[in-house]
């Protein structure tokens, strides 16, 4: 009786408009993964190889270890979160418990002992890389699942994901500004080893601050959460949960779209420096400007995504965002090869920077739309199977992102071998003239080739059928089911 009554009360709470302070409190949690992961991706490899003196191969393997273990752990974290029973709600214990490990592992990762080297240094970095990535997932997956529980309103869910994206990108920009503008602004620049520890501590303080705000919101809104999943959490039960999720047609469509999109983006990103340097012949400063424009475009994707989602279906926004992304990827290359892109020098860099900015904006809008679909898929899943899998759905999408990005890197490496760029006797990329055939192949793979995966993603997401009307029917069906259970009890 109490469980059924509690479900009814939670459903009634979710039907009420979420106060602005709780929307913002949830969204501020984006500072945790944004501040921890964006600077990590930008600064860590340089710090390990150029500052700490670690062999590039060992550094890459140590970083990859964290990604691999994290990807494997994601579904388990999501499932355990769905089953958690706590008077603080089923998401808060993971979120709160993850903050200190994130801060410690992030700080230690940028504070490597000078005396450590070789295999010892590799082991130290690998362990910290695993600890950091898994700790971030321990916060990220439950808070993402919480976003599916704060409201049943179709549009309000889009607002939540838009706000969260804003703070997620704000964390990344804060890390860049602190790095380039404060700690590495001196004469030694990025080679100032002593500045990496205070830099990491500053990032950790932002992580803890944003995380505590999100945790406070999770505590205040725990009355909106769905009840924990019934049953034991065994290996066989976990396997059945995974199989059940894959039986959901909407989840399969979103998952496949996610994979195709990130494989294509991975190919484009990995080959970006090659294309900017060889195909477009940009200078180092121009390449950095193009890269930064993409990043700031992702930040601007928040207002663009919010504007589009207020007027269009989530499926439409996602398809539009990916379509514009593939157009920005492929159009400059195809026009150049056709002799219709005459820009050179600074004019070329300016035009490519604008294209990168637009790519980032539409990618951001697409990412927000995809995240906003998760709660709607969870509602449909409950209608179909009578169970809630928010945490497992969030983990499935996270796993797809990581696996697809790794797949994109693998595809890019294989294609580079086919392109056969000239190398010197040491195996490094040779300078001087590059055969025209190799340049053309590089451009085609980097632009239109990568965009083919995005095109397949668009064709896949068009099969998604949960719109405003379908969502309203699912919510009505769940309300009727809970009312019948309450009357029967």
């Amino acid at each position: 009786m109490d469980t059924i009554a509690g479900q009814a009360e939670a459903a009634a709470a979710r039907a009420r408009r979420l106060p602005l302070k709780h929307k913002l409190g949830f969204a501020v949690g984006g500072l945790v993964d944004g501040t921890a992961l964006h600077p990590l991706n930008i600064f860590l490899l340089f710090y390990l190889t150029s500052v700490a003196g670690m062999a590039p191969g060992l550094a890459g393997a140590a970083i990859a270890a964290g990604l691999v273990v994290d990807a494997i752990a994601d579904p388990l974290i999501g499932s355990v979160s769905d089953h958690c029973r706590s008077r603080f709600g089923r998401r808060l214990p993971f979120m709160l418990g993850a903050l200190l490990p994130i801060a410690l592992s992030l700080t230690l990762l940028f504070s490597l002992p000078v005396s450590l080297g070789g295999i010892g240094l590799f082991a130290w970095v690998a362990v910290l890389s695993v600890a950091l990535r898994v700790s971030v997932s321990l916060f990220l997956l439950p808070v993402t699942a919480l976003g599916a529980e704060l409201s049943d309103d179709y549009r309000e869910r889009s607002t939540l994901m838009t706000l969260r994206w804003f703070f997620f990108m704000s964390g990344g920009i804060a890390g860049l500004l602190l790095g380039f503008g404060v700690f590495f602004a001196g004469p030694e620049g990025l080679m100032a080893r002593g500045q990496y520890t205070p830099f990491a501590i500053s990032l950790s303080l932002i992580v803890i601050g944003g995380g505590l705000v999100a945790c406070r919101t999770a505590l205040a809104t725990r009355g909106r959460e769905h009840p924990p999943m019934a049953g034991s959490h065994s290996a066989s039960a976990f396997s059945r949960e995974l199989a059940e999720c894959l039986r959901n047609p909407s989840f399969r469509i979103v998952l496949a779209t996610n994979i195709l999109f990130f494989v294509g983006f991975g190919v484009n990103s990995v080959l970006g420096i090659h294309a900017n340097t060889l195909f477009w012949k940009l200078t180092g400063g121009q390449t950095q400007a193009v890269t930064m424009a993409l990043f700031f475009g992702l930040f601007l994707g928040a207002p663009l995504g919010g504007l589009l989602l207020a007027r269009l279906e989530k499926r439409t926004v996602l398809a539009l965002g990916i379509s514009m992304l593939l157009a920005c990827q492929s159009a400059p290359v195809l026009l150049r090869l056709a002799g219709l892109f005459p820009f050179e020098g600074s004019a070329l860099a300016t035009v490519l920077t604008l294209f990168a900015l637009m790519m980032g904006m539409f990618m951001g809008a697409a990412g927000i739309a995809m995240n906003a679909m998760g709660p709607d898929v969870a509602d449909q899943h409950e209608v179909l199977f009578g169970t809630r899998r928010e945490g497992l759905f969030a983990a499935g999408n996270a796993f797809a992102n990581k696996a697809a990005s790794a797949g994109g890197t693998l595809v890019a490496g294989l294609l580079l071998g086919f392109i056969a760029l000239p190398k010197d006797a040491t195996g490094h990329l040779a300078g001087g003239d590059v055969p025209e055939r190799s340049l053309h192949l590089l451009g085609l793979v980097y632009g239109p080739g990568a965009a083919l995966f995005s095109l397949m993603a668009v064709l896949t997401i068009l099969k998604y059928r949960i719109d405003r009307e379908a969502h309203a029917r699912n919510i009505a069906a769940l309300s009727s089911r809970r009312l019948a259970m309450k009357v029967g009890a």
Side-chain angles (χ1 to χ4, degrees):
M1 175 72 76
D2 292 341
T3 301
I4 295 173
Q7 290 186 41
E9 291 177 6
R14 291 193 300 273
R16 295 192 294 270
R17 190 170 185 84
L18 187 67
L20 178 60
K21 65 178 182 179
H22 290 157
K23 290 179 183 177
L24 293 174
F26 163 78
V28 167
L31 289 174
V32 174
D33 42 310
T35 306
L37 296 183
H38 283 308
L40 189 77
N41 295 335
I42 293 171
F43 295 103
L44 182 59
L45 186 61
F46 181 87
Y47 170 72
L48 294 179
T49 57
S50 299
V51 180
M54 193 173 182
L58 289 178
I63 294 173
L67 291 169
V68 170
V69 174
D70 182 30
I72 295 172
D74 279 349
L76 183 60
I77 293 172
S79 178
V80 172
S81 173
D82 285 339
H83 285 268
C84 177
R85 295 182 179 276
S86 163
R87 64 190 181 95
F88 302 110
R90 57 178 179 165
R91 312 301 179 188
L92 179 58
F94 298 93
M95 295 166 57
L96 189 60
L99 294 180
L100 187 58
I102 293 173
L104 286 176
S105 52
L106 180 62
T107 301
L108 291 174
L109 200 51
F110 281 107
S111 307
L112 299 179
V114 177
S115 59
L116 205 58
I119 298 301
L121 182 59
F122 165 78
W124 182 256
V125 173
V127 168
L128 290 174
S129 177
V130 169
L132 178 58
R133 294 283 181 176
V134 172
S135 297
V136 170
S137 291
L138 280 170
F139 180 91
L140 175 60
L141 298 180
V143 78
T144 302
L146 178 65
E149 300 185 287
L150 293 178
S151 174
D152 285 341
D153 184 77
Y154 187 85
R155 180 172 293 183
E156 194 166 44
R157 287 172 168 177
S158 297
T159 301
L160 284 171
M161 296 307 167
T162 300
L163 290 172
R164 191 181 193 284
W165 183 273
F166 173 83
F167 283 100
F168 170 67
M169 295 308 304
S170 296
I173 291 177
L176 288 176
L177 294 177
L178 284 172
F180 291 118
V182 179
F183 292 100
F184 309 123
E188 292 183 90
L190 290 171
M191 294 301 296
R193 183 164 187 161
Q195 292 298 311
Y196 280 89
T197 297
F199 170 59
I201 292 174
S202 299
L203 298 180
S204 298
L205 291 175
I206 297 175
V207 165
I208 292 176
L212 288 177
V213 171
C215 287
R216 181 180 179 183
T217 302
L219 181 64
T221 59
R222 64 189 183 279
R224 290 175 174 253
E225 292 184 14
H226 292 275
M229 295 308 306
S232 61
H233 193 270
S234 61
S236 59
F238 178 59
S239 299
R240 287 194 298 271
E241 290 175 11
L242 290 176
E244 180 187 286
C245 288
L246 292 174
R247 288 165 56 198
N248 185 319
S250 296
F251 178 67
R252 291 200 305 269
I253 290 170
V254 173
L255 190 67
T257 302
N258 212 336
I259 292 173
L260 290 168
F261 173 71
F262 277 99
V263 168
F265 186 72
V267 171
N268 181 266
S269 299
V270 170
L271 296 180
I273 293 180
H274 291 81
N276 287 329
T277 303
L278 300 175
F279 184 83
W280 295 115
K281 295 180 172 57
L282 300 181
T283 66
Q286 291 169 340
T287 296
Q288 183 178 3
V290 171
T291 304
M292 291 298 296
L294 175 67
F295 195 91
F296 280 97
L298 289 168
F299 177 78
L300 295 176
L304 176 62
L307 181 66
L308 293 175
L309 286 167
R311 292 163 174 78
L312 302 173
E313 296 289 350
K314 297 170 186 177
R315 174 189 63 194
T316 305
V317 175
L318 180 53
L320 175 64
I322 299 177
S323 297
M324 292 300 297
L325 177 68
L326 71 87
C328 291
Q329 282 179 333
S330 56
V333 174
L334 291 175
L335 290 173
R336 172 69 102 189
L337 294 178
L340 302 175
F341 203 74
F343 306 103
E344 299 291 347
S346 58
L348 173 63
T350 300
V351 172
L352 293 179
T353 298
L354 292 175
F355 269 99
L357 184 68
M358 288 190 293
M359 280 179 59
M361 290 175 63
F362 283 103
M363 182 180 176
I368 293 169
M370 184 174 291
N371 289 335
M373 288 176 171
D376 303 336
V377 175
D379 292 329
Q380 183 196 58
H381 194 85
E382 186 177 2
V383 171
L384 294 175
F385 302 100
T387 56
R388 302 288 305 190
R389 305 291 185 202
E390 293 96 339
L392 205 50
F393 285 162
N397 284 323
F399 175 83
N401 291 353
K402 295 160 188 173
S405 297
T409 302
L410 175 62
V411 170
L414 295 174
L415 291 173
L416 272 179
F418 175 75
I419 293 169
L421 295 172
K423 296 182 178 180
D424 58 25
T426 65
H428 294 89
L429 191 66
D433 293 332
V434 178
E436 187 175 359
R437 171 187 172 277
S438 295
L439 287 178
H440 287 179
L441 285 175
L442 175 61
L444 287 172
V445 169
Y446 160 78
L452 285 177
F453 290 98
S454 298
L455 177 60
M456 289 189 285
V458 172
L459 296 176
T460 300
I461 200 58
L462 292 179
K463 300 177 182 178
Y464 181 81
R465 291 291 177 264
I466 304 179
D467 55 14
R468 284 179 173 83
E469 293 182 2
H471 171 73
R473 289 195 298 270
N474 287 334
I475 294 298
L478 293 175
S479 298
S480 297
R481 183 182 298 175
R482 290 167 187 144
L483 179 61
M485 292 172 61
K486 184 177 181 180
V487 172

